[in-house]
Amino acid sequence: LLSAVMSAMRGALARAREEARIRRAALIELHAAQSRRDELIRQLEAKNAELEGFTYTASHDLRSPLVTVKGFVAHLATDLQAGDAVRALGDLARIQAAADKMDRLLRDLLELSRVGRIVKPPSDLELEDVVREALFLSQGRLAARGVRVDVATGLPHAWGDRARLVQVMQNLVENAVKFMGDQPEPRITIGPRAAPPGQPPVLFVRDNGIGIPEKGRETIFTLFRKLDPHAEGTGIGLALVRRIVEAHGGRVWAESEGTGAGATFCIALPTRPQPQDAGA
């Protein structure tokens, strides 16, 4: 009888342990599902914010060149009737400039929409090669502004699409040139930054330009948001940088001590995935 009782107790204990294991596994899966849900909500909120930015652009930035074109078409008709060829040529020049602005906006929007859809096989990249190619593509702007560029040694490796990461670096370099202000000795420094253990390496692009006020360090990555509304460009460049970096599983952020203190853009990019990551 004692043996039967002990056997029954062992069976009950085994069943209880199995039920506990099943419940623990279900709880872990529930927590994972909640984490995935929270991440999806965060992504949806980000997409909604970007959609709001696009709506604003469609109603304002894209409409603005059309208003200009319509206005100067009317002026052109008047000037042609009056036989004023000089004013007519000026009207045509303004119409051309407005059409060019709209073309840039549409091309930048198209480029932004392609990120994440056109995927090239990732590879192990030396970021020094990526940086050198980006500087070669930007050499015209750098020379025109007389910007000195210093590239440190020991730049980290990254795992990703070379063409897209070149685009990221080119955008960051040209953004730095654009916002040098009246700096008499413009300078850009590109180098590595030590990362905490277990974290991806960080690459920074530092300039000695006009700097970024505290409230603008996050909004500058928002679609069509520019600190200076009169600055050249469409306001898509840094949004494109963020989208490319995040599509690679990385992170980008801006640092600055304020107006006139220059700015530093930091990129943390994952390295080549380990075998266990590749099968996850």
Side-chain angles (χ1 to χ4, degrees), residues 156-178:
H157 286 236
W159 179 255
D161 181 339
R162 179 187 177 92
R164 287 299 188 193
L165 294 182
V166 168
Q167 190 175 11
V168 164
M169 294 306 304
Q170 183 180 359
N171 279 2
L172 290 179
V173 168
E174 294 186 357
N175 183 76
V177 174
K178 188 189 307 181

Side-chain angles (χ1 to χ4, degrees), residues 35-150:
S35 297
R36 290 194 295 268
R37 184 201 61 182
D38 292 342
E39 176 62 18
L40 288 173
I41 291 174
R42 186 193 68 79
Q43 292 178 4
L44 182 60
E45 289 173 346
K47 293 295 183 184
N48 284 338
E50 190 173 81
L51 182 59
E52 289 178 5
F54 178 81
T55 303
Y56 173 82
T57 297
S59 62
H60 182 271
D61 292 62
L62 289 176
R63 187 170 178 268
S64 179
L66 287 177
V67 172
T68 300
V69 169
K70 288 179 65 177
F72 279 100
V73 163
H75 288 311
L76 178 62
T78 301
D79 294 335
L80 288 175
Q81 289 176 353
D84 191 336
V86 174
R87 289 179 63 89
L89 289 174
D91 297 335
L92 286 172
R94 288 175 174 82
I95 291 171
Q96 181 66 55
D100 290 343
K101 180 180 179 180
M102 177 168 281
D103 180 61
R104 288 195 300 272
L105 277 168
L106 292 173
R107 282 190 286 109
D108 285 350
L109 282 171
L110 178 61
E111 181 64 23
L112 190 69
S113 72
R114 287 173 173 168
V115 176
R117 291 193 300 109
I118 298 178
V119 180
K120 295 182 180 179
S123 59
D124 188 26
L125 304 171
E126 290 193 15
L127 287 182
E128 183 174 351
D129 295 338
V130 172
V131 168
R132 295 296 180 189
E133 183 174 344
L135 292 176
F136 175 79
L137 295 172
S138 304
Q139 60 183 343
R141 287 180 178 269
L142 292 167
R145 184 60 180 83
V147 180
R148 171 183 169 182
V149 181
D150 295 325

